[in-house]
Amino acid sequence: MNYRILPSAFLMLLLLTIAKITKAADFELYDLRCEKLVEPIGVDIRHPAFSWTVRQNPTDASFTQSAYQLLVATREDKLNPKDADVWNTGKVFSDRSNWINYSGPELKSDKKYYWKVLVWSGRAKTDAATAKPAIGTSFFQTGFMDKGDWKAKWIGLDTSFAWDSPDSTHSRLSARYFRKEINIKNKIKKATLFFTGLGLYKLYIDGRELGNQELSPIASDFTKEVYYNVFDVSKVLSNGKNAVGVVLGNGQFFSMRPGKPGAWKEGIPTILNFGYPKLLFQLEIEYENGKKESIISDASWKVTADGPVRSNNYYDGEVYDRDKEMPGWNTNSFDDSRWRSVDLTTAPGGVLNWQESPNMKIMTTIQPLNIKKQGESKYLVDMGQNMVGWVHLELKSGQQSPIVLRYGERLNDDGSLYTENLRSAHVTDSIYHVGDRNLDWRPSFVYHGFRYVEITGVADLKAEDLTGEVVYDNMKTIGSFTSSDSTLNQIYRAAWWTISGNYKGMPVDCPQRDERMGWLGDRSMNCYGESFLFDNYHLYAKWMDDIADAQDPNGSLPDIAPGFWPGFRTDNMTWPSSYLFVADMLYHQFGDKNILLKHYPGMKKWMAHMLTYISADSLVEKDNFGDWCMPPESLELIKSKDATRITPGGFIGASYYIRCLDMMSRFAGVTGKNADSLNFAALRSRMIIAINKKYFNKKEGYYANNTVTANLLALAFDIVPKSRRKDVAANIARVSAAKYNDHVSTGLIGDQWLMRGLTENGYADIAFKLATNTTYPSWGYMLKEGSTTIWELWNGNTANPAMNSGNHVMLLGDLLIWYYENLAGIKAVTPGFKQIEMRPLISNPLQFVNATYESPFGVIKSHWQKKGKEFTWVVEVPPNTTATIHVPAISRESIHFKGQHRLIGENAGYYIYEVGSGSYHINSVYQ
């Protein structure tokens, strides 16, 4: 050993350790991200984006970033300006801290890169030049940057067996079990596994499951895009023999409802079938001695379909036979001589891409509220919450066979399980040959939407015998909201459960029946409201790709993406317009300009396609679904029979095209396409003239047939002449009061603009009534009737069972946006909350609101209270941002403002202050 180098080596280690946590005197860095992920493995993007967050001392004044420097290196000890061997931006005088794209040399495949950011504070370049920077370090690892890096072969088992029934309406196909023994010859320096298993997989090395993901990989149109996962297995593999085991389930790859594409069976359309399950496995090993080795899926692997998972179908459930268990099948000690050789199969057809959106996982658990015995070995379990996932059973020996679990959202009047709203879905799990062995079981390849579980075949069931495991995409809850109104709080809680339950690698409409599809129309504004509760960036960025993959060469977009139900391409304006609305949300809420650059061509192509439907009135009046699920006049109806309640589809289509022109003009401006921006704006102006000519009743001041939805769209889309806005808003108020007794009268379309439309046009009192009503139709009515999630129909407890999902996001509309932007007063002025407007709506009976939102720059807090005429407000503004704070007060003198601030204006009973980051305590006397 060379003892002379020990001190310097020790010093280097110490400096590297300190570098990860170094902070300047008044701030520090945290939450360093690459592609908005912490230390991602598998990045196959050539110019990944970096971001970081600043934490400042709460007692300090506002923080402004003056400069940053990014370093990328092949080794952590090279992360300094002198030695960074990949990329060094130099000191950049900028306050940007999000979405800074890598622009160094081409990144190499399967390579670990270390990166560091140095951040300076100060108000001028001279300050930044002398200030001490805060430092943060992290890493990312690339995936396969070139498709030619794949050497593995697709393998599977392209046949069915006597116990399968793959072509029946309720298709049954057993899981496929694969194994391969590999030999590790030397000490491993780095080992990376690139893997996908379609439709769903469970992956093991030497009997130990790899990762904590569930129902992975996420689904896509497999003919267009196939996602692979990447694992660092450097510390998992051992010298000598290692057994790889894989189980493949069907997911949405092997059809749940097979048949001729576009045909219908049992009242629902058949689903695309992509073939029998298959996998792709490539292990890249780098040894300490410098040698490299690739171990791949090929003809040498073994497979059987005669294992314990006898059937798995998202709609119908999972069948498990314990007599077919194969102890040790995924370890070295197993004899696989009776297994067959795999088939070398054809590729699914889609481009292989790293799955940037995190997999689903068990995100939380709940225990049963109560258990009732309903007969010999039959129990009904109430989880107390409509949830999505499954039941994890842990039972002692001595049970009957089979144990059958049937799931449902509601009960019949006699207390039995209600299943009519599930349509053709059986949603039943069965466990055979339980015998005299303890049972520890959960399904592997299905999920259920349920509150109640009927369990038969159990001798004695207790609460501790089962757990509800809640499964959705691995994302953080980033928002919180409570108020003095219990109805608002209950709705918020129900919304959280509804949204999380329908995050399944894509936003689905419902989790329980024979549907579970990505309907575009459900999410145009809902995605915006959801983003206040969840860090849903990756889910929706991925869904944008699904929509793009589904676009026809002529520009047409479908109503569902991925397009598992062929034929749903009606070329209406409203549903496909979500392509633009989701892009707008990702830019507005998260500040991602890249999403606009990526999808601008596809969005422009769709707009051009829809323009081919222009009418003689110079409008695009294309609509198919209308104001879907607006509340009918009778509790037994699904659709209204009263024509005066139904907004004309032509007006809906025409107004939505105008709104899309507005978005496209903005998108074009942001992405530097100025000519396009002017053209879209000019066409919008012409169409506003045309729609007013055809649909505006100048005498009475309303649009179309004077429905709330028609007038809302005209106001929200800035179609109404400025001099007539008050007249149109007054008509909304008159119709709401006279015809609907200040209850909701809108469906999926109108709901998206309802709460903000009322509030911003002088009728915040009506908005508050709508939000807190508990009689039909209202969100509160759903809760009063016992729901713990949001229904598909306003009258979901009384109308046709086939249209009664008890867990559906679409009727939330813009309610959650209203919670945050209006009640709490947290709103982005510029993309990504760089500039924030804080203006709480207090002209209502609420006594307090306490809300937080974790923006890309950090936590924003708004906690206000009213006592008599005294208003108290605690505000937090995150570092590197500014905010305008609107304080309600009778006079400037009545305001006591703790924290640095500057008065910049007064408007409608609010005094407006400009502040930087920090905590603020405000007291005032208001009117």
Side-chain angles (χ1 to χ4, degrees), residues 155-156 175-180 193-210 216-217 231 243-249 277-282 297 301-305 326 329-331 339 342 445:
I155 60 173
R176 273 80 168 112
Y177 294 76
F178 297 79
R179 56 176 274 112
K180 169 73 176 179
L193 174 58
F194 299 81
F195 179 83
T196 191
L198 307 177
L200 304 171
Y201 70 80
K202 290 284 186 179
L203 175 61
Y204 304 87
I205 292 181
D206 284 336
R208 186 173 71 180
E209 188 169 358
L210 201 59
S216 52
F231 302 90
V244 177
V246 180
V247 194
L248 293 187
K278 55 190 67 180
L279 69 85
L280 198 65
F281 175 104
Q282 186 159 328
S297 49
W301 287 52
K302 303 293 284 293
V303 64
T304 184
M326 305 171 288
W329 71 272
N330 49 14
T331 66
W339 287 30
V342 298
F445 301 118

Side-chain angles (χ1 to χ4, degrees), residues 913-927:
Y913 295 86
E914 184 179 65
V915 302
S917 61
S919 297
Y920 301 91
H921 294 257
I922 304 164
N923 293 89
S924 69
V925 178
Y926 69 96
Q927 191 84 30

Side-chain angles (χ1 to χ4, degrees), residues 562-575:
F564 297 131
W565 278 358
F568 280 90
R569 190 181 296 271
T570 59
D571 266 356
N572 72 110
M573 272 303 306
T574 47
W575 265 239

Side-chain angles (χ1 to χ4, degrees), residues 702-761:
Y702 64 76
Y703 282 81
N705 58 343
N706 200 23
T707 61
V708 169
T709 291
N711 290 324
L712 277 171
L713 297 184
L715 286 168
F717 299 169
D718 206 18
I719 292 169
V720 184
K722 289 183 179 179
S723 62
R724 303 301 303 273
R725 289 184 69 88
K726 288 185 178 180
D727 297 331
V728 175
N731 268 309
I732 292 177
R734 278 193 288 270
V735 171
S736 293
K739 191 165 186 174
Y740 301 102
N741 192 26
D742 285 340
H743 280 65
V744 172
S745 63
T746 52
L748 182 152
I749 298 298
D751 293 344
Q752 297 168 17
W753 314 98
L754 176 63
M755 303 301 290
R756 293 169 298 161
L758 287 167
T759 301
E760 293 164 9
N761 288 283

Side-chain angles (χ1 to χ4, degrees), residues 135 163 512 550 619 668 670 836 902:
I135 300 172
W163 53 86
Q512 74 295 86
L619 297 168
V670 169
I836 307 159
R902 183 171 69 92

